[in-house]
Amino acid sequence: MAASARSFRELSLLLALALCSALASSVDGETSRRFWIENDAFWKDGEQFQIVGGDVHYFRIIPEYWKDRLLRAKALGLNTIQTYVPWNLHEPEPRSWEFRGFADIESYLKLAHELEMLVMLRVGPYICGEWDLGGFPPWLLTIEPALKLRSSDSAYLSLVERWWSVLLPKVAPLLYSNGGPIIMVQIENEFGSFGNDKRYLHNLVLLARRYLGNDVILYTTDGGTIGTLKNGSIPQDDVFAAVDFSTGDNPWPIFRLQKQYNFPGKSAPLTAEFYTGWLTHWGESIATTDARSTAKALKDILCRNGSAVLYMAHGGTNFGFYNGANTGQDESEYKADLTSYDYDAPIKEHGDVQNPKYKALRRVIHECTGTPLRPLPANIERGNYGLVKLQKVASLFDILDKICDPPKVAVSEQPLSMELSGQMFGFLLYFSEYQGIGPYNILSIPKVHDRAQVFVSCSLDGVRNRRYAGTIERWSNKPLQIPSLSCSSNTSLYILVENMGRVNYGQYIFDQKGILSSVEMDGITLRHWKMYPLSFDALGVLSKFQPIQQITNARNNKVPIRGDAQNKLRASSFYRNGPEFYEGHFHIDSDSEVKDTFISFRGWNKGVAFVNNFNIGRFWPAMGPQCALYVPAPILRAGDNVVVIFEQHGPNPEHTINLVEDPDFTCGPNKRKGWMECIYIVQGEVLN
């Protein structure tokens, strides 16, 4: 009996082992799956493999277009998609997790798998990516004592662990060895350009291995120099070191340098960011790169069996308030990124592939890898819906009670940062009072992030009869001279501060927003502040007007310039124009007529636009170069469509926007000037 029982147990064990072996070698009917590095090459399922990848970020594309953009990337000849994972999108508030809509990363990864594309996943926790705060949630900036971001600070690492304990179990089933598309997982991003805290990187590796196991390739990406690779690589933790470098640099000396920071035989030549274009800040000319030279540089890598990931294959859009920013040697040298993240990539912001760069890169990929040329995808149809008349709905000050929840108003002796006021994005209105003495007073705000519009009124008038006094900007901070209002009581001071996007790269990444210093009037510190957080979620409660007339577009129709307009503006509204809301409607006849479009804001100043309650981003044609914001068709609908504009300074004099077919990056003081652009510049000179 005992022998029989023992035989039964042995048989059961053999069956269990056989079952485990079967499961290991077959996932959903597929044969054994393995991706690894050997003999300085990538290998997949027993065959040498060349990564021809491209960054396509799910969070910069409306989900309805994920499949379209991935198919365009595949038709380019790519076999791999690389994407960041922005922590701030998925944990907008502590322990509040978001994985729906734009944040539905699991659906995106599964879609890539369905389309037979592999994935390189960049889980951060820092991502850079011209994304607000480099992907960090801004509530991290409220913690005391202050966190040391991107370091082995235990308080910071505990929050990373909490985040990854949610994220990584979601992606683990999608690893290549588990039957999914993920072949490699990147930790951190270009850390060698920031610091050399190896303990920090080691802790990230331990966390990643805890949830992902030991089979997946972990990798770092750093600039192709001795200093950056020395600081950012960790081969002792069995982490593959990839490189990036300027397009056009000779790649092979850099790949030889890469070998010094990987174990022998473990250094497959890979540039994880082959730059197809570049980013653009407000106030710059749009960045472009030559298609022929870009293709030649890629050929130098691929035709010698190197691997490359195009950054970007498709850039997409910084919808809402998620754009990042950069600084120079000083944190006041601040430059915010555009709403568009077109990046001059081969797949344009709106999906266009009928362009020289896409065709040139596609030919090179085919020539070097033998990948069959897939049919060139057709461009998505775009609609020219014409001019739309807008009507002023309300001044910001008239509806402050509707877009600011009274319980959320903060009160403090000194101004609080936006983050400490609970306002993570957008705008915060500061209020205090002072005694106006003499013909004018001098306002000084030594540190404001990023842009402050100043208004004054007599306190007995409340927000009525407020006057616009000028603007103080982070990058050109100067004291502001405010004319006396001759009030019989105190003077009310309103300061509307815009967070234009947090720094995402460099030493000044701990980028708090709002007023970050004392505020002085004639050298006296002002006290007793109220902070009003503005919520644009409540735009639906604005007063309703009858539908606005849509004007038929004549293609060459221009907004007329009235000869006396400048004098009228100076006389009647120079000190009165404040932030205002405008609303317009346009009608689309049928579902078949719903198409992508662009809203041209030429002639407007600066603000934020919403289409059918969707925040399509910031516009600033007065600064340029971006004139028009992209509106994907899934945001629109057959029937009535509503556009709401929050204009911070002054509207197009005709109160019109133009819904056009094509992007436009020709605005700004050094480009073709609209009438209001010229006025804005004049105002700035007068006030500063």
Side-chain angles (χ1 to χ4, degrees):
M1 190 75 174
S4 176
R6 184 167 56 252
S7 299
F8 179 77
R9 285 197 300 270
E10 291 173 352
L11 179 60
S12 298
L13 179 60
L14 289 172
L15 288 172
L17 290 172
L19 179 60
C20 289
S21 176
L23 288 172
S25 63
S26 177
V27 181
D28 294 331
E30 299 182 25
T31 57
S32 179
R33 297 166 61 89
R34 186 182 173 214
F35 189 89
W36 74 101
I37 303 172
E38 186 178 329
N39 297 328
D40 290 333
F42 294 111
W43 295 79
K44 183 170 79 73
D45 302 337
E47 296 184 0
Q48 194 167 325
F49 184 80
Q50 185 178 23
I51 294 175
V52 185
D55 268 80
V56 182
H57 300 159
Y58 62 97
F59 46 91
R60 284 186 161 118
I61 308 166
I62 195 161
E64 291 88 341
Y65 277 172
W66 284 347
K67 184 175 183 178
D68 173 84
R69 300 308 193 253
L70 291 178
L71 285 173
R72 291 168 190 274
K74 188 170 184 176
L76 182 60
L78 306 188
N79 55 34
T80 304
I81 293 298
Q82 185 171 250
T83 184
Y84 290 122
V85 181
W87 184 0
N88 54 12
L89 184 70
H90 296 285
E91 193 181 4
E93 298 176 6
R95 300 181 185 274
S96 175
W97 309 106
E98 185 58 70
F99 291 96
R100 299 169 297 174
F102 278 87
D104 188 358
I105 183 174
E106 291 171 276
S107 291
Y108 182 75
L109 297 175
K110 290 175 181 176
L111 179 60
H113 188 42
E114 290 172 13
L115 298 178
E116 299 180 332
M117 301 195 78
L118 302 174
V119 173
M120 296 168 62
L121 194 63
R122 315 174 89 175
V123 297
Y126 165 79
I127 66 168
C128 186
E130 289 73 64
W131 193 253
D132 187 86
L133 200 57
F136 286 130
W139 51 262
L140 293 178
L141 307 183
T142 69
I143 296 172
E144 294 291 345
L147 297 176
K148 295 180 181 178
L149 302 178
R150 307 184 72 187
S151 80
S152 52
D153 172 18
S154 59
Y156 162 68
L157 280 174
S158 68
L159 294 170
V160 174
E161 180 175 2
R162 189 178 75 191
W163 156 228
W164 277 9
S165 72
V166 174
L167 171 68
L168 298 186
K170 290 180 178 291
V171 302
L174 298 170
L175 297 177
Y176 188 77
S177 59
N178 293 333
I182 302 172
I183 54 172
M184 298 171 65
V185 175
Q186 179 180 303
I187 59 169
E188 250 284 343
N189 188 61
E190 296 180 327
F191 184 73
S193 300
F194 178 80
N196 61 357
D197 188 345
K198 300 288 187 169
R199 184 180 165 206
Y200 165 51
L201 297 178
H202 176 69
N203 274 282
L204 294 183
V205 172
L206 293 179
L207 275 176
R209 293 290 184 208
R210 181 191 306 174
Y211 294 104
L212 302 179
N214 296 320
D215 292 336
V216 67
I217 297 173
L218 298 183
Y219 70 110
T220 56
T221 298
D222 285 291
T225 67
I226 293 174
T228 52
L229 283 166
K230 181 179 179 181
N231 289 342
S233 63
I234 41 174
Q236 66 275 17
D237 284 319
D238 193 23
V239 175
F240 171 68
V243 293
D244 57 33
F245 43 83
S246 298
T247 301
D249 286 354
N250 186 346
W252 291 97
I254 299 173
F255 289 145
R256 286 193 289 272
L257 177 65
Q258 177 192 6
K259 284 188 174 185
Q260 299 179 27
Y261 298 91
N262 285 307
F263 283 143
K266 299 290 187 179
S267 193
L270 168 67
T271 172
E273 292 190 6
F274 175 89
Y275 300 109
T276 60
W278 200 246
L279 61 101
T280 305
H281 304 113
W282 291 108
E284 299 174 346
S285 297
I286 190 67
T288 59
T289 58
D290 176 68
R292 184 176 300 177
S293 60
T294 303
K296 180 179 181 299
L298 183 63
K299 183 176 181 179
D300 289 344
I301 297 171
L302 296 186
C303 280
R304 294 179 61 180
N305 208 32
S307 291
V309 181
L310 309 184
Y311 192 97
M312 300 290 294
H314 169 63
T317 309
N318 295 317
F319 291 118
F321 296 122
Y322 278 110
N323 66 275
N326 289 288
T327 59
Q329 295 300 312
D330 185 271
E331 66 175 338
S332 65
E333 297 176 31
Y334 172 87
K335 294 182 178 182
D337 298 320
L338 301 184
T339 296
S340 172
Y341 198 61
D342 179 83
Y343 212 83
D344 197 29
I347 305 170
K348 310 309 291 180
E349 178 180 16
H350 51 288
D352 170 38
V353 297
Q354 301 289 341
N355 63 76
K357 186 171 288 182
Y358 185 95
K359 295 175 181 178
L361 295 178
R362 180 169 170 264
R363 283 195 300 269
V364 162
I365 292 170
H366 169 68
E367 177 184 343
C368 294
T369 68
T371 302
L373 284 175
R374 299 176 183 274
L376 202 62
N379 284 337
I380 295 176
E381 285 191 73
R382 303 194 295 277
N384 186 340
Y385 298 113
L387 290 173
V388 177
K389 188 80 172 179
L390 275 69
Q391 184 169 335
K392 177 182 173 181
V393 179
S395 160
L396 166 69
F397 294 97
D398 294 337
I399 60 168
L400 190 57
D401 60 329
K402 294 183 179 179
I403 62 173
C404 177
D405 188 3
K408 294 183 178 179
V409 176
V411 179
S412 177
E413 188 73 3
Q414 293 289 343
L416 298 176
S417 71
M418 285 182 136
E419 292 82 7
L420 289 176
S421 301
Q423 184 74 343
M424 300 303 168
F425 296 97
F427 299 81
L428 185 66
L429 181 66
Y430 292 80
F431 167 79
S432 187
E433 293 183 319
Y434 66 95
Q435 287 187 328
I437 302 174
Y440 60 84
N441 302 98
I442 302 298
L443 174 69
S444 174
I445 312 176
K447 191 170 184 179
V448 60
H449 291 184
D450 298 300
R451 192 169 186 273
Q453 292 172 254
V454 180
F455 305 87
V456 291
S457 68
C458 292
S459 295
L460 292 179
D461 290 341
V463 295
R464 295 175 299 165
N465 300 320
R466 77 220 164 273
R467 293 175 178 268
Y468 172 53
T471 300
I472 297 177
E473 297 166 324
R474 174 176 179 171
W475 53 92
S476 59
N477 193 323
K478 299 177 182 178
L480 191 65
Q481 180 175 297
I482 301 178
S484 173
L485 300 182
S486 301
C487 299
S488 60
S489 59
N490 285 342
T491 301
S492 294
L493 176 67
Y494 300 90
I495 305 174
L496 180 65
V497 179
E498 178 187 5
N499 165 6
M500 291 179 55
R502 293 180 181 84
V503 172
N504 59 263
Y505 179 82
Q507 60 181 319
Y508 299 114
I509 192 172
F510 199 97
D511 188 22
Q512 293 176 307
K513 297 301 185 181
I515 296 177
L516 306 177
S517 66
S518 61
V519 177
E520 295 183 353
M521 190 70 73
D522 298 327
I524 300 174
T525 299
L526 299 184
R527 304 184 184 279
H528 309 300
W529 289 89
K530 289 183 179 180
M531 278 70 54
Y532 297 83
L534 307 185
S535 171
F536 292 143
D537 295 336
L539 292 183
V541 306
L542 299 179
S543 301
K544 298 297 181 181
F545 284 82
Q546 59 184 5
I548 304 304
Q549 178 183 359
Q550 181 174 346
I551 304 172
T552 302
N553 186 28
R555 291 196 179 273
N556 60 351
N557 198 348
K558 303 291 184 183
V559 176
I561 301 175
R562 298 175 180 173
D564 62 347
Q566 181 169 337
N567 292 332
K568 285 183 177 180
L569 177 69
R570 287 179 172 230
S572 65
S573 60
F574 181 65
Y575 288 103
R576 294 180 184 275
N577 267 10
E580 297 170 334
F581 292 93
Y582 294 81
E583 182 178 297
H585 297 246
F586 64 98
H587 187 85
I588 300 178
D589 292 336
S590 64
D591 289 338
S592 63
E593 294 299 313
V594 175
K595 301 174 182 178
D596 286 4
T597 191
F598 287 85
I599 298 182
S600 173
F601 291 93
R602 187 174 290 276
W604 292 78
N605 243 296
K606 187 181 195 305
V608 185
F610 305 82
V611 177
N612 295 333
N613 294 319
F614 182 90
N615 186 339
I616 62 171
R618 310 174 201 264
F619 61 89
W620 198 3
M623 182 62 73
Q626 185 172 2
C627 307
L629 296 185
Y630 175 50
V631 184
I635 294 173
L636 303 176
R637 61 200 175 208
D640 185 55
N641 291 268
V642 184
V643 180
V644 174
I645 292 175
F646 177 58
E647 167 60 61
Q648 295 170 238
H649 288 278
N652 174 313
E654 299 302 314
H655 289 193
T656 57
I657 54 174
N658 199 1
L659 277 68
V660 298
E661 294 181 358
D662 297 314
D664 184 357
F665 295 99
T666 62
C667 280
N670 298 319
K671 307 293 181 183
R672 292 183 290 151
K673 294 186 178 70
W675 173 80
M676 279 299 295
E677 295 169 35
C678 299
I679 295 300
Y680 177 75
I681 296 167
V682 170
Q683 286 183 358
E685 290 175 352
V686 172
L687 293 172
N688 292 329

